[in-house]
Amino acid sequence: MRIRPAWAVPPRPVRVRRRGPRRGVAALLTALLLAPAPACREPLVPPGAPTPWPVAQARHWQWQWQLTGPVDVTVNADVFLLDAVRTTSGETGALRARHRRLVCQVTIGTYAASDPDASRFPAAVRGTAVPGRPGSRWLDVRRWDSLEPVLADRFRLCRGKGFGAVALDDADGYLHRSGFPLTFDDQLLFNRRLAALARRLELSPGLVDDLPQVAALAPDFDFAVNRECVRRGGCDKRLPFADAHKPVFHVEFTGDPAEFCVTTVGYGFASILKDRKLDAWREPCALP
């Protein structure tokens, strides 16, 4: 079961540290220049640029995936995958102050009736219902001219809230009964167009699932997100990302981390155990 984005919630207050008396510009500059960099955190690029993924850090990321409940900004993770709509600018600001990398999750092959922009999808691109997700329908990914303006605005929403990367979800309509005769090549072209669109809008693109196309799409995307490749099988299909020193953020919803971590960490993935509701709780695999 996938969690659908909820409406935005009121922003949580951000704590502001009180500073001591000012001692002059020279003393302040000296202190800043001599201050040590935060341990184990790669510095973020300024807002307005895509999130970088240093090769040297490829096997050492810790991540969090939270789509429900107030965002817990204190979680000890390098990367946060969050909902594009309900996450507030206050929450992203608090996370950026902690040098976290921020990824927004955007559905690109489906829409929900509750989405704020649902009315922008023409009737001609609306397909069959998505099983298990009331109010959601597949989209005709062949209709780029109709979908591109809406999805571009979803990406701009992410950029405006301070995200530096975007994870493209529901990028595999060709594998489902979408109501349209979608082919492997139709999906491949659509996903590549969206990766290029994300880059034009200064976002680092990531691919969620869509295992059959990973080998073809790995050059176009900067990172991958995978659900349950241990339980479902197919973890090895993510190796084109890992072998290229690109992050693979993996989650299992059942099982013992002491068992599945042996497989996934060995592949070079950043793995966690989560509840299916994707709240703040997580149990990460130990880093190598």
Side-chain angles (χ1 to χ4, degrees):
M1 179 181 70
R2 297 179 181 174
I3 303 298
R4 299 301 306 157
W7 292 98
V9 296
R12 299 174 67 203
V14 179
R15 293 182 179 178
V16 179
R17 295 181 178 178
R18 298 182 181 275
R19 301 184 181 276
R22 300 177 65 179
R23 299 183 179 180
V25 175
L28 177 60
L29 290 175
T30 301
L32 290 173
L33 291 172
L34 295 179
C40 303
R41 302 288 182 196
E42 291 285 343
L44 285 175
V45 293
T51 294
W53 305 101
V55 170
Q57 187 71 6
R59 290 177 173 263
H60 302 286
W61 298 109
Q62 287 283 15
W63 76 298
Q64 164 69 316
W65 193 358
Q66 184 178 353
L67 300 183
T68 62
V71 176
D72 184 352
V73 301
T74 67
V75 170
N76 187 27
D78 308 288
V79 179
F80 282 70
L81 177 54
L82 305 170
D83 179 74
V85 175
R86 66 178 303 277
T87 304
T88 69
S89 296
E91 289 167 336
T92 58
L95 288 166
R96 289 188 64 87
R98 293 171 177 265
H99 301 283
R100 273 42 169 177
R101 283 166 165 74
L102 306 182
V103 183
C104 66
Q105 180 172 332
V106 173
T107 56
I108 50 88
T110 65
Y111 81 97
S114 59
D115 291 344
D117 57 4
S119 63
R120 296 184 62 191
F121 292 106
V125 305
R126 303 182 184 190
T128 58
V130 181
R133 287 157 53 179
S136 294
R137 292 186 175 275
W138 292 100
L139 293 168
D140 187 351
V141 301
R142 300 169 301 175
R143 305 288 297 270
W144 177 251
D145 289 346
S146 296
L147 297 182
E148 188 271 343
V150 186
L151 298 178
D153 283 346
R154 289 187 174 189
F155 290 179
R156 292 187 182 99
L157 174 67
C158 294
R159 184 73 269 173
K161 287 186 176 182
F163 289 94
V166 57
L168 308 185
D169 200 9
D170 290 342
D172 57 1
Y174 71 106
L175 294 176
H176 303 271
R177 295 180 178 178
S178 66
F180 306 107
L182 303 181
T183 66
F184 183 97
D185 288 339
D186 291 333
Q187 191 75 58
L188 198 66
L189 175 61
F190 182 66
N191 292 348
R192 283 176 170 157
R193 281 173 162 171
L194 285 171
L197 175 63
R199 294 189 193 283
R200 290 197 298 274
L201 296 176
E202 301 296 332
L203 291 165
S204 170
L207 180 67
V208 180
D209 294 331
D210 191 17
L211 290 181
Q213 295 191 336
V214 164
L217 290 174
D220 300 282
F221 287 83
D222 294 342
F223 64 94
V225 179
N226 174 259
R227 299 178 179 96
E228 299 187 288
C229 72
V230 172
R231 186 181 72 84
R232 298 177 179 177
C235 287
D236 57 321
K237 292 183 179 180
R238 285 292 181 194
L239 288 177
F241 278 90
D243 290 345
H245 305 290
K246 296 181 178 182
V248 177
F249 301 113
H250 160 258
V251 64
E252 293 287 328
F253 298 117
T254 60
D256 183 353
E259 297 178 1
F260 71 71
C261 291
V262 173
T263 298
T264 58
V265 174
Y267 278 136
F269 301 170
S271 292
I272 54 176
L273 177 67
K274 294 283 294 185
D275 289 329
R276 291 187 183 276
K277 58 185 177 181
L278 292 175
D279 57 8
W281 180 87
R282 67 193 273 275
E283 185 173 346
C285 291
L287 293 174

